[in-house]
C-alpha cells in the first residue's frame, strides 16, 4: 500500500481584504476556536452537526516567514471562509498553501 501527500497553492476566488481589521463597537462572534500549540502552530476547531449530534472538526495553522499553511479546513464552507478571514486578520499573513 502506498500513500501520497498532495500540496496545493491556495488562490482565493474571492478578494479578501489584507489590511488591518476594521474596528467595530459590536463584538464579532466566531464559530472558530483557536488553541495555541507553539508560537507558530495553532489548532483551529469548528463544530458541525451530523445525525443530531455535534462533532468538532480540527485543523492546523502553521505560520512561516513566507505565509501561512492551513492543514484541513473548517466544518462548513461558511466556517472555512470565516477561518480564512480570521487567519488574515489575526496573523496579518497570506495563506500560501492548503493541505
Amino acid at each position: 500500500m502506498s500513500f501520497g501527500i498532495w500540496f496545493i497553492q491556495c488562490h482565493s476566488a474571492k478578494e479578501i481584504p489584507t489590511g488591518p481589521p476594521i474596528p467595530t463597537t459590536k463584538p464579532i462572534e466566531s464559530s472558530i476556536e483557536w488553541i495555541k500549540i507553539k508560537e507558530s502552530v495553532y489548532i483551529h476547531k469548528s463544530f458541525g452537526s451530523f445525525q443530531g449530534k455535534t462533532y468538532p472538526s480540527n485543523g492546523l495553522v502553521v505560520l512561516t516567514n513566507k505565509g501561512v499553511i492551513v492543514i484541513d479546513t473548517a466544518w462548513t464552507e461558511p466556517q472555512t471562509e470565516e477561518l480564512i478571514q480570521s487567519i488574515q486578520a489575526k496573523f496579518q499573513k497570506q495563506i500560501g498553501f492548503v493541505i
Side-chain angles (χ1 to χ4, degrees):
M1 182 180 340
S2 66
F3 294 95
I5 297 176
W6 294 88
F7 294 92
I8 60 167
Q9 190 162 3
C10 182
H11 296 282
S12 176
K14 295 182 181 178
E15 188 172 317
I16 300 172
T18 59
I22 299 169
T24 64
T25 55
K26 182 179 174 184
I28 298 172
E29 295 200 23
S30 175
S31 63
I32 306 291
E33 290 182 11
W34 291 95
I35 302 166
K36 185 176 183 178
I37 297 176
K38 290 178 59 173
E39 194 61 38
S40 61
V41 182
Y42 292 79
I43 292 174
H44 66 80
K45 185 181 282 194
S46 59
F47 298 88
S49 295
F50 179 71
Q51 295 182 348
K53 294 184 180 179
T54 301
Y55 295 95
S57 172
N58 301 315
L60 286 176
V61 172
V62 181
L63 308 177
T64 73
N65 56 0
K66 292 186 178 182
V68 178
I69 299 169
V70 179
I71 302 169
D72 209 356
T73 61
W75 185 269
T76 66
E77 189 172 325
Q79 288 173 331
T80 298
E81 290 177 12
E82 178 186 344
L83 174 66
I84 291 167
Q85 292 173 355
S86 182
I87 288 168
Q88 291 176 333
K90 185 175 184 71
F91 304 113
Q92 299 294 306
K93 292 185 175 215
Q94 292 293 319
I95 297 172
F97 292 94
V98 176
I99 301 170

